[in-house]
Amino acid sequence: MRAPLHALQGFVAAARAGNLTRAAEAMHLTVSALSHQIRSLEQRLDRRLFERGPRGVHPTADGQRLLEQVSPHLDAIEAALRPFAARRDDVLTLSVVPSLASAWLLPRLSEFLAAQPQVELNLLSDAAVVDFSRPGQVDAALRSGRGQWPGVVAEHLFDDWLAPVASPALVARMRKAGVERLQDWPLLGDPGPDAWPAWFARHGGDMPVRFAARFGDAEALHRAAAAGLGVALGRLTRVRLLLESRQLQRLGRQRMKTDYAHYLVYPPRHRDHAALGAFRDWLHGEARAHAAAMARGSRRAGDGATR
């Protein structure tokens, strides 16, 4: 006996929800239509599949056996069809590291949305690795790294630079020490353990005996520096707002390029996605302008640098 697929889907939805109203809403049906499907299935099988009560529905013994046999196959069918689901070219789902989103992307984003009003943008603030093999989840991501991720397109946006930053209060307190001898200042340990040794190797000076404090992520490090705990090797893109608000200031004109850069990352199958194409073109323009502004700022010791 061949039961209709839609009736089996309705049965599984009701069994899992334990409530006909919730199951009907999930399937975009009326409760009456779903009830009719279930009654028709019971008549075909000549079995009662649900116990109906004031608190909802519960599978009978026959219903439970049917659920255990049918639901894995329906789940497999849904998974097989998911890559072929209709894709809206005017919707873009973008994953962005939280600190980059707040310090760099969000202040610029209104210009893109004004220029592309037809695009519906969904921003996911997340630093986790994106699984692009799951269709319909994320279209593209902004990530920092070396750009060598397998199976994806990684388009370079701009480099990541480090420079010593500190709160104005700490600068006033340590002014006699001079920025030429940073080893005499309280230094904050960076999530990248090689950053300070590389800095002193390049610009001179000796590593301190110990750090004033260590931090496991860049956001906490920057906030600690703004609170006056010590000098951080700030990631200039991500401390921009703290520099502009004068919560931090650079110590000197020197900066150091890191091994990491910022990239737009997406799977090759998304190349022809219209909303991603529009965002990509705008993003590269913003990245070029940002890189040029960073170069100008470094030459003139911008961002309130202390000499």
Side-chain angles (χ1 to χ4, degrees):
M1 179 182 299
R2 182 175 296 174
L5 181 61
H6 69 275
L8 290 172
Q9 290 173 316
F11 160 73
V12 170
R16 286 175 170 173
N19 182 284
L20 292 183
T21 301
R22 289 198 298 270
E25 290 175 352
M27 297 190 69
H28 305 288
L29 297 172
T30 65
V31 175
S32 175
L34 180 59
S35 297
H36 177 73
Q37 287 183 4
I38 293 172
R39 282 196 302 270
S40 298
L41 184 61
E42 288 178 325
Q43 290 170 3
R44 277 178 173 267
L45 300 178
D46 193 24
R47 296 285 193 280
R48 191 160 55 90
L49 300 176
F50 285 110
E51 298 282 357
R52 293 164 174 81
R55 296 187 177 181
V57 294
H58 305 281
T60 62
D62 288 329
Q64 186 62 36
R65 282 195 294 273
L66 181 62
L67 178 66
E68 293 170 357
Q69 291 293 322
V70 169
S71 59
H73 297 288
L74 291 181
D75 291 340
I77 291 172
E78 182 182 352
L81 292 176
R82 197 174 296 133
F84 301 96
R87 186 176 190 82
R88 288 182 56 187
D89 261 1
D90 59 345
V91 177
L92 176 63
T93 300
L94 182 71
S95 173
V96 190
V97 175
S99 56
L100 184 65
S102 60
W104 191 85
L105 181 63
L106 291 181
R108 294 168 165 79
L109 203 53
S110 61
E111 297 177 10
F112 170 74
L113 296 177
Q116 302 289 339
Q118 78 284 1
V119 173
E120 178 183 323
L121 183 62
N122 299 320
L123 279 184
L124 304 180
S125 184
D126 193 356
V129 175
V130 178
D131 183 4
F132 286 116
S133 68
R134 299 178 61 190
Q137 299 295 313
V138 177
D139 298 307
L142 296 185
R143 289 293 186 269
S144 63
R146 293 185 171 89
Q148 300 172 343
W149 298 288
V152 298
V153 178
E155 298 182 355
H156 179 270
L157 297 173
F158 49 84
D159 294 323
D160 206 7
W161 295 84
L162 299 176
V165 294
S167 69
L170 181 63
V171 171
R173 192 168 76 243
M174 298 293 297
R175 188 168 297 278
K176 291 183 180 180
V179 297
E180 297 79 12
R181 291 187 54 81
L182 281 178
Q183 63 267 32
D184 295 336
W185 293 58
L187 302 185
L188 302 178
D190 190 89
D194 299 329
W196 275 118
W199 178 271
F200 285 118
R202 177 171 301 185
H203 298 294
D206 300 314
M207 282 286 293
V209 175
R210 65 179 181 86
F211 289 111
R214 293 178 181 269
F215 296 89
D217 66 89
E219 186 73 12
L221 173 72
H222 298 154
R223 290 294 175 184
L229 271 67
V231 179
L233 271 182
R235 301 177 188 277
L236 292 180
T237 298
R238 302 188 187 187
V239 298
R240 184 183 67 85
L241 296 179
L242 294 174
L243 291 169
E244 289 182 354
S245 64
R246 305 299 179 185
Q247 296 179 67
L248 286 175
Q249 61 187 85
R250 285 176 60 177
L251 305 183
R253 304 184 181 195
Q254 296 168 325
R255 62 176 183 165
M256 182 176 71
K257 185 177 174 181
T258 73
D259 292 335
Y260 284 11
H262 295 277
Y263 292 85
L264 173 66
V265 183
Y266 57 89
R269 67 178 183 274
H270 291 178
R271 287 184 191 274
D272 297 328
H273 188 278
L276 176 56
F279 179 77
R280 174 184 174 276
D281 291 343
W282 170 83
L283 184 66
H284 277 286
E286 292 296 314
R288 287 191 296 271
H290 170 76
M294 290 283 290
R296 290 194 303 270
S298 179
R299 285 196 297 269
R300 65 171 182 261
D303 299 323
T306 299
R307 304 184 181 215

